[in-house]
Amino acid sequence: MRSRSNRYLANLLRFCREKRCKLSGKIIHGFVVRTGFNSDVYLCNRLLDLYCECGDGDYARKVFYEMPVRDVYSWNAFLTFSCKVGNLEEASDVFDGMPERDVVSWNNMISVLVRKGLEEKALVVYERMVSQGFLPSRFTLASVLSACSKVLDGVTGMRCHGVAVKTGLEKNIFVGNALLSMYGKCGLMVDHGVRVFESLSEPNEVSFTAVINGLARESKVFEAVHVFRLMCEKGVKVDSVCLSNILSISAPREECDGSNVLGKQIHSLALRLGFVGDLHLNNSLLEVYAKSRDMNGAEMIFDEMVEVNVVSWNIMIAGFGQEYRSDKSVEYLKRMRDYGFEPNEVTCISVLGACFRSGDVETGRRVFSSIPQPSVSTWNAMLSGYSKYEHYDEAINLFRRMQFQNLRPDRTTLSVILSSCARLRFLEGGKQIHGVAIRTGISKNSHIVSGLIAVYSECEKMEVSECIFDDCINYLDVACWNSMITGFSRNSMDTKALSFFKRMHQTSVLFPNETSYATVLGSCSSLCSLLHGRQFHGQVVKSGYVSDLFVETALTDMYCKCGAIDSAKEVFDTVLFKNTVLWNEMIHGYAHNGRGDEAVGLYREMITSGEKPDRITFVSVLTACSHSGLVDTGLEILGSMQRDHGIEPELDHYICIVDCLGRAGRLEDAEALAEATPYKSSSVLWEIILSSCRVHGNVSLARRVAEKLTSLDPQNPAAYVLLSNTYTSVRQWDESAALQELMNKSRVRKSPGRSWIT
């Protein structure tokens, strides 16, 4: 009789649970207590189910804790409820108090820890579960793999994969998708994830999306696109999230030609599938068009969007900034405010970046001034803009203003200001920033150390730079080593630069990069050390930096300055994409090694290739003409500067041609050209002519030019010395002696010459 009554009451409670009739359930609960049936575990479990289903935590606890006897079901039911409502403390107490556990118990605990963001604790609980002999279910593996994804623990993820294979769950779509997501986020999609995907008999949209995301993370763009096309061919449902993911990799990279074929195809597919109103997808489309530098297309999409958010506005503002159209960026900022959207930190940084990129510093100032309370990142954007575009004084003054805003500068702030101090050789400012870095505890940060080394190096305080470097030796990266090598090089301590590079190369932790090699090759050039230069060339080849343009230019310059002009040409010929600097180095090398015809030939080859010459190009080729006696060629090139290339000749160019005419004995032409230039008050031009007078023994012109020189600069000894040398060359000893006496009376002193032996 009692057993039949219990079954009847249990059925009633089950009905109340299904219908969520908590009030009726409470009436039955009262009857159970009055009749003494509350000692029945089965009935108590049904009451517990009722209150858990209805979300009544107080009554669920009352029933659970007043049960005279609890079985595994009772513990799991209440544990499940505690996990469901997110009461981690209570769930932990219940789990720890369980006399025996089953897979459901472990699953609940692992699941709630993952949901609460305690992934590492979840993995510890999983290890305990496995060590106690429990076999994970598909729910266990899904939760554990989710934890591995979040903490990027690919090793544990692979162990879970092994368990899935052993238990036959690797082809389960639920577990398979979790594996794909884990491998994708851990950067192991190509190595392991693709095989999981291929083993799934019927992959769904989640599977395809996970693979596409993983391949995109590993920059396997073509493979990701192939999987997307396979998805479309198999008729798997494509949603807006999947389209957004494939759009994220369809924007052309910097090395591409800027075309947007794939992006436009995805755009067409989105229109056909009816996703035009999806905000996230539209933002992805905007980003693709903006990165493709198709701002007209981006504007069309933006204008047709039913809904926009701050992200949409930011994409448009940043896109116009990339196109150097600060006016449009500022226009969109104004429109954004007019439509009631509050600009965020990204907006402000994007607008400031657009202004500085376009060279519109004044507009940048106005935008910055209009921001009510700029964040540290916004201040940093403004400071970086000033520093990048060489407004170093303004950067330092702005930093001073920042100090009065009760904002704490971060490492980016201090790095930028240190860079400005270095450029201005503002030692006192650098010392003050050094003090701030020490007080804020970031003085050993590699970015700060690199900036400090640069400041002290530029201010010729290499001993301080070395102290800072040695004090932070365990915290340094390649940039800090490069700063030291550069400092030695700029302070004409090239031998020290070579030894420092050797010390860097011998460390087992850090390896030189392209900047390291370019700098140390510059020191080899200064020392004219062909032996060291060839050794570094060998290291460059082994390190794989031989195709870096800066290194190639440094190698060319080194060989030219060391007189190995043929080796320089071999390096030059291997460069696929030559820039103006490299052409200039090679032409300059030919010029200073007395191979003028080849310099002029290379100059003409440069013009034919379509490369635009600059003022340095003309200095190099005109120098070649001067050293090789190519007078007519030099005059023809000088005349073509303004006519064919729009470059106005400067003093250096006229010096080369005056020297060229003087060496050829055309002294009157040299004098006429010097008089006709805008730089006729420059003493250098007349010194060159006077030196040529000595070579050709033209005393009358020498006297005339010497008078002009002394009128320009009475204390310049060059006029006296060169005229004296001219007298000596034609054996006019008395005139030379008289000139020497005049120098003594006028107290003009000649600087002593110096010899340099390597």
Side-chain angles (χ1 to χ4, degrees), residues 180-192:
L180 289 174
S181 177
M182 182 274 297
Y183 281 131
K185 290 179 181 175
C186 293
L188 299 168
M189 181 58 70
V190 174
D191 294 332
H192 301 285

Side-chain angles (χ1 to χ4, degrees), residues 418-462:
L418 283 170
S419 174
S420 296
C421 290
R423 295 287 185 169
L424 292 173
R425 299 186 177 181
F426 181 26
L427 180 60
E428 191 57 40
K431 287 180 177 179
Q432 292 174 10
I433 302 301
H434 194 174
V436 172
I438 292 171
R439 286 198 303 276
T440 54
I442 58 173
S443 61
K444 293 189 176 180
N445 175 274
S446 60
H447 293 84
I448 301 299
V449 172
S450 180
L452 287 170
I453 290 171
V455 170
Y456 288 114
S457 299
E458 288 291 339
C459 297
E460 301 180 4
K461 301 286 183 183
M462 283 308 299

Side-chain angles (χ1 to χ4, degrees), residues 260-274:
N260 184 25
V261 176
L262 179 58
K264 289 178 179 178
Q265 290 174 344
I266 303 300
H267 189 183
S268 300
L269 183 59
L271 293 172
R272 197 165 72 246
L273 294 175

